Amino acid sequence: MDENENTSSKPGSFLKSQLEEAEETLLQTFSLNTALDFAISKAKDSIEELKTIHALLEETGESSADRAFAVAGKYGRQASDYLSAVSEAGQAGYKNAGDIAGLSIAAQSAGDLSSELANRYIFETDKAYELGGSVLKLTELLDGCSAITDHNAISMTDLAESMSSAASTSASCGVGIAETTAALGTMIAATGQDGQKAAEALETILLHIRQISDEEAGIDAEGLANYEAACNALNVSLKETRNGMSYLRDPVNVLRELSAEYNRLNDSDVRKKNLLDSLGSVPAATQFDALLSQWDTYEQMLAQYAGGTGSMAAQAETAVSSWEGSLGRLNNTWTATVGSIADSDAIVTAINLLNNLLSTINKITGALGPFSSMGLFAGLFAGIKNVGKCRMSVRIS
């Protein structure tokens, strides 16, 4: 029996093969339609991104978006994120706004920080410690913070939030950046409370050590005297004599000595209670107890901060290699490719071209019509195939 006779003798098999071929063709069309929809969607997104970039280039005075795409792409962010950071840094008075923006983008990527928090963390710490916008010193800050969060169960968000709030008071009380970061990190890790509570507690502790009254914080002369008396009861003095003059001691040295004496006492010892109560705040007392009780953790965090070189870059690299970071890089690359970015004028040209392209596509898809009804055709084909199978089974049997 030849091939034609074999095919003609099995009409059910022939019909089945034709239906499968038709379905395959339809699915290919669906794939094209899906790809077209994706391209249109991404083109629309690119137009909005390019408009934002153009506005930011005009605002910041940047002549080219090349650096924006390069820096943003490195950290899995959009070019507009970088340019927004440049704008914020410029408004804050930084002459090296581009470099500061690069640090902000890196911090956002490494610690999953919001742009607002990353900028505030950098700006407030730089101002409080008079770093002069030094990229080197600010990188040390971000590296140290990243190293601490990498070794402990605390988030960079909480640490950045607490440092942003406490930096001014800590600096004015003579406590360094590393010491402040480690103290805040210890309290956050030990209590499980957020960064703002840790910052408020540290400010209260430092003001008592430095004997500074603060009406808004509820710290008065009587409270300061009670605190000094509680410290003296533990044989820890807030003052020292040099050249016949009395001076307040370094806050970190006071805390270190308090920790040693505090941890020698039984929990029932009234001197513990008196020291904590002298702060006049239950939340601050809870944080103070955590700091003194976990002084070993403080020392460890201090060492982690000192050895944190490259930590932010490492965390950022890990974040960029994640699914979200890869998607961010893809979106950034797509916009750069579609726009063929070189300068502000090129962006305007790219936007106009994309608008014209989308307008043309909309007209074509509107005229074709069947793209919108392919789902119905797919259902019909599936139904026909199933009916065909039923009928074929009856006839063959």
Side-chain angles (χ1 to χ4, degrees), residues 1-10:
M1 183 180 294
D2 63 25
E3 184 177 349
N4 291 332
E5 289 177 348
N6 183 53
T7 302
S8 62
S9 65
K10 295 183 179 180

Side-chain angles (χ1 to χ4, degrees), residues 91-218:
Q91 292 174 20
Y94 286 97
K95 296 187 181 303
N96 60 338
D99 294 332
I100 298 298
L103 287 177
S104 176
I105 291 295
Q108 292 173 44
S109 181
D112 194 24
L113 302 181
S114 68
S115 59
E116 187 276 332
L117 178 55
N119 290 337
R120 184 157 59 92
Y121 180 31
I122 293 171
F123 298 168
E124 291 297 329
T125 307
D126 179 48
K127 178 181 178 181
Y129 286 95
E130 301 179 350
L131 302 181
S134 169
V135 173
L136 177 61
K137 293 178 180 178
L138 288 171
T139 300
E140 290 176 356
L141 162 71
L142 296 171
D143 276 344
C145 179
S146 298
I148 288 176
T149 59
D150 192 39
H151 290 87
N152 301 274
I154 56 178
S155 70
M156 194 164 176
T157 294
D158 280 334
L159 203 49
E161 181 66 48
S162 63
M163 190 64 178
S164 299
S165 298
S168 178
T169 298
S170 291
S172 65
C173 289
V175 181
I177 297 177
E179 289 79 6
T180 300
T181 305
L184 291 168
T186 299
M187 291 189 287
I188 295 170
T191 65
Q193 296 180 353
D194 62 40
Q196 187 58 43
K197 288 184 174 61
E200 292 170 358
L202 183 61
E203 289 177 321
T204 298
I205 293 166
L206 293 178
L207 289 176
H208 277 82
I209 292 176
R210 300 297 289 179
Q211 294 287 281
I212 300 172
S213 60
D214 188 321
E215 183 178 349
E216 185 176 343

Side-chain angles (χ1 to χ4, degrees), residues 4-316:
N4 291 332
E5 289 177 348
N6 183 53
T7 302
S8 62
S9 65
K10 295 183 179 180
S13 298
F14 178 74
L15 177 59
K16 180 180 178 182
S17 67
Q18 293 300 304
L19 288 173
E20 288 178 345
E21 183 178 343
E23 181 183 37
E24 183 179 353
T25 301
L26 184 60
L27 288 176
Q28 289 175 350
T29 306
F30 276 144
S31 297
L32 290 173
N33 190 39
T34 301
L36 182 60
D37 286 342
F38 175 80
I40 292 174
S41 173
K42 298 306 295 182
K44 288 180 178 178
D45 291 343
S46 294
I47 289 177
E48 295 305 314
E49 173 73 357
L50 288 170
K51 287 179 179 178
T52 302
I53 291 172
H54 174 63
L56 288 169
L57 286 174
E58 294 291 322
E59 178 183 330
T60 60
E62 295 280 336
S63 60
S64 173
D66 288 347
R67 183 180 183 186
F69 279 102
V71 175
K74 179 180 179 181
Y75 295 111
R77 299 280 166 163
Q78 296 284 74
S80 57
D81 295 335
Y82 168 78
L83 289 172
S84 293
V86 173
S87 176
E88 291 286 337
Q91 292 174 20
Y94 286 97
K95 296 187 181 303
N96 60 338
D99 294 332
I100 298 298
L103 287 177
S104 176
I105 291 295
Q108 292 173 44
S109 181
D112 194 24
L113 302 181
S114 68
S115 59
E116 187 276 332
L117 178 55
N119 290 337
R120 184 157 59 92
Y121 180 31
I122 293 171
F123 298 168
E124 291 297 329
T125 307
D126 179 48
K127 178 181 178 181
Y129 286 95
E130 301 179 350
L131 302 181
S134 169
V135 173
L136 177 61
K137 293 178 180 178
L138 288 171
T139 300
E140 290 176 356
L141 162 71
L142 296 171
D143 276 344
C145 179
S146 298
I148 288 176
T149 59
D150 192 39
H151 290 87
N152 301 274
I154 56 178
S155 70
M156 194 164 176
T157 294
D158 280 334
L159 203 49
E161 181 66 48
S162 63
M163 190 64 178
S164 299
S165 298
S168 178
T169 298
S170 291
S172 65
C173 289
V175 181
I177 297 177
E179 289 79 6
T180 300
T181 305
L184 291 168
T186 299
M187 291 189 287
I188 295 170
T191 65
Q193 296 180 353
D194 62 40
Q196 187 58 43
K197 288 184 174 61
E200 292 170 358
L202 183 61
E203 289 177 321
T204 298
I205 293 166
L206 293 178
L207 289 176
H208 277 82
I209 292 176
R210 300 297 289 179
Q211 294 287 281
I212 300 172
S213 60
D214 188 321
E215 183 178 349
E216 185 176 343
I219 303 174
D220 55 23
E222 181 180 357
L224 294 176
N226 289 337
Y227 182 81
E228 184 173 17
C231 289
N232 289 336
L234 292 175
N235 297 316
V236 177
S237 176
L238 300 183
K239 300 171 184 175
E240 62 183 357
T241 301
R242 299 195 304 269
N243 300 323
M245 299 288 291
S246 179
Y247 297 93
L248 287 168
R249 298 177 62 208
D250 176 76
V252 174
N253 289 336
V254 171
L255 288 171
R256 183 177 288 106
E257 290 182 12
L258 279 176
S259 172
E261 297 300 325
Y262 186 84
N263 290 317
R264 289 193 182 102
L265 303 177
N266 295 324
D267 290 341
S268 59
D269 196 307
V270 69
R271 287 174 292 179
K272 266 193 172 183
K273 183 177 184 303
N274 288 342
L275 179 64
L276 298 179
D277 289 347
S278 67
L279 290 178
S281 165
V282 174
T286 299
Q287 298 280 348
F288 193 28
D289 173 69
L291 178 59
L292 295 180
S293 300
Q294 302 295 323
W295 195 257
D296 286 347
T297 301
Y298 165 84
E299 297 286 2
Q300 290 170 7
M301 288 190 181
L302 202 58
Q304 290 159 3
Y305 184 100
T309 303
S311 293
M312 178 178 64
Q315 286 192 9

